[in-house]
Amino acid sequence: MAHVSALATLPPISDINEASSIERLVSAVTLLFEPAEPIVQHLYAKRPFASYTALIDETGTFLANPESLEHEARLEIINAHPRIGAPKANLSALSLIEQGYSAEDAAKLATQAATSQDDEATQAKLKELNERYEAKYGFKFVVFVNGRPRSEIIPVMESRIENSTEKQEMKTALDDMVAIARDRLKKLGAV
C-alpha cells in the first residue's frame, strides 16, 4: 500500500518559521486543515513553531477561543472543508483516505470517479444529509471520519441534525478539524 506521505509533503517547519513570504505556511495549512485564510493569518503572526504539533496546538487554542474569531471567519474555516461524500474527483488524496479509501485507491480515485451502485446510494444519502445539515446550521458538516466507511457516517449525521444546536455543531466542527489535522500530520510522518 502506498504511504500517505507519497501523496503530499509538508515543508520543513524551519521553512515556515524563516520564510518571509506566506506561501509555505499556506501550503502546510492547506494540507493539514484545508485552505483557511483566518488560520494562515493567525499562525503567520504566531511564528516560530518548534514543530508541526506545536502549530496544530496553537490552531486548536485559537479555534477553541470564542473571542478569537468573528462568526464569519469561523464559517470560512469550517466551509473550507470538503463535504462528506463529495464527488471523489473534487477531493484531495488525503480527504479520500480519511473518507475510507486506501492510499492506493485514493491516488487512483483522485483522477477518476467511478462508483458502484452501493457507493451511489451512499453518495445520494450523504448529499441529502449535507443539504439538510447546511439548511439547519448554515455551514458544512465536519466530522473526524478516521477511516470509517462513509456509510457509517450517515447515522452520525442524522443524529447531529436531529439532536444538536448551531453552537454545538460549530464547536464540534472546529474541534474535529484539529483532530483531522493531527491525524493528517501523523499520516504524513511529520511532527
Side-chain angles (χ1 to χ4, degrees):
M1 179 188 293
H3 193 269
V4 176
S5 62
L7 302 172
T9 57
L10 287 167
I13 197 72
S14 59
D15 286 5
I16 288 171
N17 290 332
E18 298 165 6
S20 59
S21 74
I22 204 166
E23 284 110 17
R24 301 292 269 176
L25 181 59
V26 169
S27 172
V29 167
T30 299
L31 274 173
L32 296 170
F33 293 97
E34 305 296 337
E37 185 66 23
I39 293 174
V40 170
Q41 294 301 323
H42 175 77
L43 293 175
Y44 191 75
K46 291 290 187 174
R47 295 174 313 152
F49 297 100
S51 64
Y52 275 107
T53 299
L55 181 144
I56 292 171
D57 289 346
E58 175 59 35
T59 305
T61 300
F62 174 61
L63 296 179
N65 179 359
E67 290 80 41
S68 66
L69 283 166
E70 297 292 326
H71 183 76
E72 290 303 315
R74 289 181 184 277
L75 291 177
E76 180 182 345
I77 291 167
I78 292 169
N79 287 330
H81 211 272
R83 285 180 179 86
I84 294 292
K88 295 172 197 135
N90 295 340
L91 297 176
S92 70
L94 285 173
S95 289
L96 283 166
I97 291 166
E98 290 159 3
Q99 292 193 25
Y101 296 96
S102 71
E104 291 169 342
D105 289 343
K108 293 175 192 170
L109 291 172
T111 57
Q112 69 181 33
T115 58
S116 68
Q117 286 185 344
D118 287 342
D119 200 33
E120 288 175 6
T122 299
Q123 196 94 347
K125 184 65 175 178
L126 290 171
K127 182 179 185 298
E128 172 209 328
L129 291 171
N130 277 319
E131 290 169 1
R132 284 180 47 206
Y133 184 93
E134 290 176 31
K136 181 173 182 176
Y137 298 118
F139 49 86
K140 291 179 185 175
F141 174 80
V142 177
V143 67
F144 180 30
V145 174
N146 197 19
R148 293 177 282 181
R150 290 172 302 133
S151 60
E152 289 183 20
I153 302 306
I154 291 171
V156 174
M157 288 182 81
E158 290 171 331
S159 176
R160 286 176 50 185
I161 290 168
E162 297 303 319
N163 302 313
S164 194
T165 65
E166 180 182 347
K167 184 177 179 178
Q168 287 173 312
E169 285 303 304
M170 188 167 282
K171 180 183 180 333
T172 299
L174 294 169
D175 288 348
D176 278 11
M177 288 183 77
V178 173
I180 291 164
R182 288 187 197 290
D183 187 62
R184 288 178 175 181
L185 181 65
K186 184 174 86 178
K187 288 175 179 171
L188 289 166
V191 287

